[in-house]
């Protein structure tokens, strides 16, 4: 019994130590954006609610625009800059369009003018308002 308990505790400690800081990888986001225009990691510092994600997705689909948005925790960035994350998404999703990402505390887009304008107009109203 004592040996079984020791094995169980050891397995839990090894699992805890080996657990990644963020389960989201940029490649996970690429895969998700290939079927849905909005990826929202619930662990992100500025994660949207499910209702906000659904509304944003509806807005994108009903507009006929090719827009892809990712909301990610800072840890998902790895060693990349937020600009690198946006470029990686654009290059790997395989669809032309405008890509935007909120990574940690940073917001970047492949359309910097539109992103800057939206941010300046809505920054006091939160991430959802900027992205809408």
């Amino acid at each position: 019994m004592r040996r079984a308990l020791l094995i169980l505790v050891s397995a839990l400690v090894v699992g805890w130590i080996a657990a990644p800081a963020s389960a989201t990888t940029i490649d996970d986001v690429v895969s998700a954006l290939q079927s849905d225009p909005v990826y929202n990691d619930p662990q992100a510092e500025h994660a949207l609610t499910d209702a906000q994600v659904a509304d944003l997705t509806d807005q994108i689909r009903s507009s006929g625009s090719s827009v892809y948005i990712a909301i990610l925790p800072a840890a998902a960035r790895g060693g990349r800059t937020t600009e690198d994350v946006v470029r990686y998404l654009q290059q790997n999703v395989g669809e032309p369009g405008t890509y935007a990402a909120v990574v940690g505390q940073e917001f970047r887009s492949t359309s910097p003018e539109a992103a800057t304008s939206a941010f300046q107009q809505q920054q006091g109203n939160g991430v959802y308002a900027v992205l809408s």
Side-chain angles (χ1 to χ4, degrees), residues 20-54:
S22 175
T24 302
T25 69
I26 299 303
D27 289 323
D28 293 336
V29 179
V30 166
S31 294
L33 289 175
Q34 289 171 337
S35 60
D36 196 340
V38 180
Y39 179 87
N40 181 59
D41 187 316
Q43 300 302 312
E45 292 83 349
H46 292 285
L48 301 177
T49 66
D50 290 344
Q52 289 172 327
V53 171

Side-chain angles (χ1 to χ4, degrees), residues 3-109:
R3 185 167 190 253
L5 182 59
L6 182 60
I7 291 171
L8 176 62
V9 169
S10 296
L12 290 173
V13 169
V14 168
W16 176 71
I17 291 171
S22 175
T24 302
T25 69
I26 299 303
D27 289 323
D28 293 336
V29 179
V30 166
S31 294
L33 289 175
Q34 289 171 337
S35 60
D36 196 340
V38 180
Y39 179 87
N40 181 59
D41 187 316
Q43 300 302 312
E45 292 83 349
H46 292 285
L48 301 177
T49 66
D50 290 344
Q52 289 172 327
V53 171
D55 185 55
L56 194 53
T57 299
D58 289 344
Q59 288 179 42
I60 293 168
R61 288 187 173 145
S62 66
S63 73
S65 300
S66 295
V67 176
Y68 302 90
I69 299 171
I71 299 96
L72 306 169
R77 185 183 305 121
R80 299 176 177 99
T81 66
T82 301
E83 291 86 357
D84 290 341
V85 169
V86 173
R87 275 192 296 270
Y88 187 87
L89 295 174
Q90 182 182 37
Q91 292 167 355
N92 290 281
V93 169
E95 295 292 335
T98 301
Y99 289 78
V102 176
V103 184
Q105 303 295 328
E106 298 180 352
F107 171 51
R108 299 293 185 273
S109 171

